Amino acid sequence: MTASGGTDVCILGGGPGGSAAALQLARHGVRTTLVEKAVFPRDKVCGDALSGKVMRTLERLDPALAERVNGDAHVQASWGVTFVAPGGASLRVPFSRHTGEGEAPGAILPRVHFDDLLFQAVKHGGQVDVMEGRTAKAFDRTSGGWHITLSGPDGARTELDCRMILDASGANSTFSRHVARLPMEPRHHAAGVRAYFSGVKGLDPDGFIELHFLKELLPGYLWVFPLPDGHANVGLGLRSDMVKRRRLDLKAELLRLLREHATLRERFVDAVPVGSVQGMGLPLGSRRRSISGEGYLLIGDAAHLIDPFTGEGISHAMISGVHAADVAADMLARNDLSAMAAKAYDARVWKRLGQELSISTRLQRLADQAWLFDLVVDRAAKNPALADTIACMFTDLDLRAQLKKPGFYWKLVRGTR
Ligand SMILES: Cc1cc2nc3c(=O)[nH]c(=O)nc-3n(C[C@H](O)[C@H](O)[C@H](O)COP(=O)(O)OP(=O)(O)OC[C@H]3O[C@@H](n4cnc5c(N)ncnc54)[C@H](O)[C@@H]3O)c2cc1C
């Protein structure tokens, strides 16, 4: 056993949440150690879609890093979204009227590349100690903060002391479940599977992502996200309580739908899987939880912050990571690591993401109504103003809030929108 000494902040996990927190703590000049179980580059099961919020957060953190992401050889710029309604009708909606001009509002970049860009920026930034290939196993309170036991690939144990823990160790975080006591609740959790394919026909030349709201999957959906060279990230997700109730094997269901479903089978007839179908859980932000405590803050998936309607979690991990770094720096400067002081973090995260998460929770609850999707897609195909409204929903929260109002649907049914 070796002792690696002490630090002010220990970040658990070097995914987008942990890396964003590390970059921001470096700006504050806080002594930080990041502990990461894997050796990078490492894969992460994901749809790989980077929203405008990811790009904006990166811009603010480090413009040079944002440029590296945009210029990566594996990135596919995305200019919009195609919805396929349960009845089979589809609606192609650009994210902005200025499709093809300037920088694309979104992108698709496999996580093995995206996460590595962020992680290497932390590792080579020279301000954060990075311990790669080390798993944080046990957490004990001490008078000065925390005593963490780490285990390496050869089983060797290392000990680390710190004043604060920022837990960004993802959906299966031991710290979040057993120390912070955030349970996995099937109603507020989804299961997702994805595979990479080559040879998929009909991929959008402008990188429009495809969301297929198939009857058998509602309120979840199947996605086809285009990548360069005719490759695509294809997957599906559904709330965990429904997966259990419907007794679905999601990996088999994905392959069955691609083989048999009327809107997909022709396009996948010559498609070749690249690797296997892989699955992972999505802790959803459909319930407000306490995400901090004495001497610790939870970030990203460890804090259950994934959008319950779209499944978007990368931006929420990064946004919460930046807030966690700001609050931690302030707590350390004031020498107040109490649970009460840490509540400033909850307040900031819910101020930034709370409204969005609550709208998405309502949308998720509406989304098992197949008729509603059919109606919206049918009307929007004939009504450019409505199509515009839907496009703006992805970039403008106020318009998205319209979907909460019963009047929206009334006008829709009467065709007066
Ligand atoms: C099927 C699927 C599709 C998805 N599609 C999208 C999408 O298209 N767009 C989107 O925005 N979001 C998507 N998400 C959500 C997104 O993947 C997550 O929200 C995001 O990865 C959260 O980032 P994070 O940094 O919190 O955690 P992670 O990215 O999971 O990073 C956690 C890190 O912690 C490390 N770690 C774990 N345990 C320990 C330990 N004990 N000690 C040290 N290190 C540890 C891990 O190795 C990992 O590197 C999807 C999720 C799934 C499952």
Side-chain angles (χ1 to χ4, degrees), residues 376 386 389-390 393 399 402-413 417:
V376 173
L386 177 60
T389 306
I390 293 172
M393 277 161 43
L399 282 166
Q402 285 200 22
L403 290 188
K404 279 202 302 190
K405 298 181 190 154
F408 176 87
Y409 300 99
W410 176 238
K411 286 179 197 158
L412 196 68
V413 174
R417 256 215 81 76

Side-chain angles (χ1 to χ4, degrees), residues 2-3 12 15 42 74 99 120 154 156-158 161 167 173 182 225 243 250 285 299 311 324 364:
T2 54
L12 310 177
R42 63 99 180 89
H74 307 91
T99 295
Q120 299 305 339
D154 48 3
R157 277 183 15 171
T158 319
D161 286 298
D167 176 24
S173 162
L182 262 63
F225 293 167
V243 174
L250 291 188
I299 292 171
Q364 185 220 53

